[in-house]
Structures are given as C-alpha cells and as structure tokens.
Amino acid sequence: MNEAPEYEIARFLRQLRWLAVVSVAVWLVWMLAPILTPFVLGALLGWLGDPLVDRLQRRGLSRNLAVALVFGAMVLVVVLALLILVPLLERQVVTLIEAAPEYRDWILQTALPWLEQKTGLDLIGWLDSERITEWVKSHWAQAGGVAAAVFGYVSRSGVAMLAWVANIVLLPILTFYFLRDWDMLVDRVAALIPRDHIGTVTRLARESNDVLGAFLRGQFVVMIALGVIYAAGLSLVGLKLGLLIGLVAGLISFIPYLGATTGVVLAVVAALVQSQGFDLQLLVLVGVVFTVGQMLESYVLTPRIVGDKIGLHPMAVIFAIMAGGQLFGFLGMLLALPVAAVANVLLRFAKERYRESELYAGEHVPIVLDSYVDPGSVAEAARREPEQS
C-alpha cells in the first residue's frame, strides 16, 4: 500500500537532485563567464567541423590527418578573409575619418536645427563652449571622482584588451583540441547519462544537433551573403562608406530586423552627409538596395539555407539575445541562440509528453473512431436493423 507514495517521494528527490545540478551549472557559468568565451567559441567551431572530419575518416583517413586538413581549411578561410577585408576596411575607415568634419558640420548645421524646429528644445545651446565651461566649473568639486572613474575605466579597458588578445591566441588552440577529441568527449558525456533515460536523451540530443547544425551553418551563410549584397549594392549606387555599412548590417543580421534597420539608418545619414543635402536619387537607391536584400533574405536565402528547423519566432530570438546579454554578458549573447534552439526542442518534447499524459487526456480512455466512415454503409445498416428486429 505504501509503495506508490514511496516511489513518488523517490522520484521527487531525484528531480530535486537534477534541479540542484542544473542550478550549480548555471551558477558556475555565470561566475566563469569572463574566461569561458574562447572555450565556447572553440567548442562551437569544433562541433561545426566535426561532421567533415568524420566524413574524411569514413573515406579512409586517420583522425589526426582529417583534423589537420579541416583545421587547416578553417585557418586558410580566416586568413583569406583578413587579407581581402582588412585593406578594404582600412580604406573605409580612412574615408570615415576624413569625412568626420563633414559629419560634425551636418549635425550642427542641419540635424540639430531640424530637431530643434520639430521639438522646440535648445539643443545647440547645450553644445555652446561657454555653457560647457560653466557646467565644468559648477561641477569642479566632482572632478576628483570623475578622474578616478575615468582612470579606473581606462585601467579596466587595458585589462579587457589583454584578455581579448589572450582569447584570440587561445581560440585556434582550443578549436584544434575540440576537433581532435570531439567524439571522445561525446562518448564520455553519454557514458554519464542514466541508463533508463539513455533513449530519450539520445533522441533529444540528435534533434538538438540537427536544429543547431541547420541553423548555425545556415545563418552564418546568410550573414555573409547579406553582407556581400549590402556592401556591393551600396558601393555600386555611389555611397562612399557603402562597404563598411553593408558589412556591419550583414554581420548583425542574426538579430531579426536589426541588421537591416541599422544599415538603413547609417546609410541614410551617410547619404545625407555625402550629398550635403537631400539627394532623392541616392536615398531611393539606398532604399532599393536594402529592399532587395530583405526580399532575397525572406524568400530565397533563409527558406533555402536555414529553413524553419529552429522554429523560433523573431521575438523569441530578440528576447533570448537580450536576456543572454543581461545575464552573462558577451558569453550570454554568444550562447543565446543555441540555448534557445535546444530549449525549443525540449519544449516540443514536454508538449508531446503532456499530450500523452493523464492530465491532458483525462482518466477515461477515449473511444477512437475510424478516420473515414462510408455514409452508404451507415444508411444500409440503419435500414436493415428494423427488418432484423
């Protein structure tokens, strides 16, 4: 009689232990977030390259040789991209620096007066040198605190720069080890899974792997394609900073609508400054470039390359990235979409289990009817029933 309650208590304790393990893991990620970034990037690159390594192994190559070939191909792609992009971006940055006085004059002589006219605020007055001097004098007592804050920020920035350099140096090393030992790491993790849950965990892991693979590989291709489309289009219509703006818009397009919106705003401002006025033709051409890019993304690139396997609504993607950044900083933004994709797989599994549970179906087993009933046979049976009686 007491077996059922004891079983329920034991099950509750097991679930409580798993909750404690997950909580500790999340806490460790939160505490170690500043140093986990190269490891996460290396793991992602190793996971993305592992299918190609396995394919080369099936063709008869050893694991070490296959890893060396794939890792060499990754390094070659990065080096070629840097050799092509760095000189182009350098020229764009020089153009931006040379145009900086034009942007300043446009802001002071065109943008701010227009905003003042529309809002009634005295924006230019706040930028007057005398007012700024008076403001500094009135807040001189806080100068020591401001100086300390600035010095602290500079010091932290220097440390952060050193950390970034260390991460860049570590990334290829970690990527190589993840590529080489990926199958071994998967086997070790699989060996720790409780045997009575191995079937379910294997199924969820396979579905998560398919979703992440389709999304990350596809999204990377879409980002590169959009960057090329925007950069080439804006350069062809005569925008001096078109290459830089197009690449920026393409690289941040993994956040729905943010890439196109940012690109349109930057391109419109650049067009207004470049033309020193309202050049309708240039503005229309800029709009055409982003319209064509969005149509290609919506109807060609995303459906054919990414597909709908991830199953996440754009609002869910935006929320996941913002929540990840708020909780774990850059690491959280990096992990936001993979975690959201896996969570979506788990939610679909939970929905499936719920639909099969007694809570949803009720205590009584429903009567299952045939999917198709011939109306003629029903009428014939109804006609014969009185005759037989």
Side-chain angles (χ1 to χ4, degrees), residues 222 225-226 228-230 288-306:
V222 171
L226 284 177
V228 172
I229 292 170
Y230 291 148
V288 169
V289 169
F290 282 98
T291 301
V292 171
Q294 284 297 291
M295 291 181 65
L296 288 174
E297 179 191 12
S298 301
Y299 297 106
V300 179
L301 296 176
T302 299
R304 291 182 177 272
I305 299 176
V306 179

Side-chain angles (χ1 to χ4, degrees), residues 309-364:
K309 290 187 177 181
I310 190 172
L312 286 179
H313 192 276
M315 287 192 297
V317 173
I318 296 172
F319 174 79
I321 294 172
M322 293 181 64
Q326 178 67 29
L327 293 175
F328 301 104
F330 178 75
L331 177 66
M333 297 180 67
L334 191 66
L335 290 174
L337 290 182
V339 171
V342 174
N344 196 40
V345 172
L346 297 178
L347 287 174
R348 286 203 298 264
F349 175 72
K351 178 183 176 182
E352 178 185 321
R353 294 295 297 269
Y354 167 68
R355 295 290 294 269
E356 296 173 354
S357 68
E358 184 179 307
L359 179 63
Y360 176 79
E363 298 180 359
H364 303 289

